[in-house]
């Protein structure tokens, strides 16, 4: 019985993380970021504004935003293939790719906390396999 309760709680927690990650990605719920001196809050900071939904990338004004499907980020064909959790968080928060190069200046610099980072990466991982 105890094992069943623990398994149920783990499934619920994973579902909540995925839902939180989707809300971060699609709606910017709880996000804060900046582009230069411009502060972006909540829906203005949503990842889907540039990277589109479902994670397929997009472009605006001659700037392209790459797909964020985790399998591409972590090593799939056609992706940069070098991101792990820490590398992704550094890219999102500091604008620095794992190879040390800076992301485009129009990529917002976020202030993800540990929970948001885990929720977002979990969402990207789950969405990649769908």
């Amino acid at each position: 019985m105890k094992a069943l309760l623990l398994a149920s709680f783990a499934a619920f927690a994973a579902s909540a993380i995925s839902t939180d990650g989707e809300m971060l990605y699609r709606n910017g719920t709880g996000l804060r970021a900046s582009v230069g001196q411009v502060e972006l809050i909540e829906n203005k900071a949503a990842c889907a504004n540039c990277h589109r939904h479902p994670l397929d990338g997009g472009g605006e004004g001659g700037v392209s935003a790459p797909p964020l499907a985790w399998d591409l980020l972590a090593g799939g064909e056609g992706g940069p293939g070098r991101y792990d959790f820490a590398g992704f968080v550094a890219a999102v928060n500091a604008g620095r790719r794992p190879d040390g190069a800076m992301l485009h200046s129009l990529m917002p610099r976020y202030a993800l906390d540990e929970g948001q980072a885990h929720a977002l990466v979990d969402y990207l991982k789950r969405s990649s396999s769908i």
Side-chain angles (χ1 to χ4, degrees):
M1 181 68 168
K2 194 177 204 180
L4 180 61
L5 285 173
L6 286 174
S8 295
F9 178 75
F12 172 77
S15 173
I17 288 172
S18 182
T19 301
D20 289 349
E22 183 174 8
M23 295 302 289
L24 289 168
Y25 184 86
R26 294 180 104 184
N27 306 325
T29 303
L31 288 180
R32 298 185 80 78
S34 62
V35 176
Q37 299 299 314
V38 178
E39 187 174 13
L40 305 172
I41 300 171
E42 299 275 329
N43 66 335
K44 300 289 185 195
C47 308
N49 289 342
C50 298
H51 294 278
R52 306 289 186 245
H53 189 74
L55 310 172
D56 55 0
E60 232 175 275
V63 177
S64 69
L68 290 184
W70 189 260
D71 49 351
L72 294 176
L73 291 171
E77 188 175 328
R82 57 186 165 261
Y83 287 90
D84 58 10
F85 177 79
F88 179 79
V89 173
V92 171
N93 283 347
R96 187 171 308 281
R97 295 187 331 206
D99 65 4
M102 296 303 290
L103 296 174
H104 195 283
S105 61
L106 291 178
M107 168 65 187
R109 301 322 189 233
Y110 288 84
L112 294 182
D113 63 32
E114 185 88 7
Q116 289 173 318
H118 280 288
L120 185 56
V121 168
D122 182 66
Y123 171 67
L124 296 178
K125 287 179 178 180
R126 288 174 185 267
S127 297
S128 293
S129 62
I130 294 174

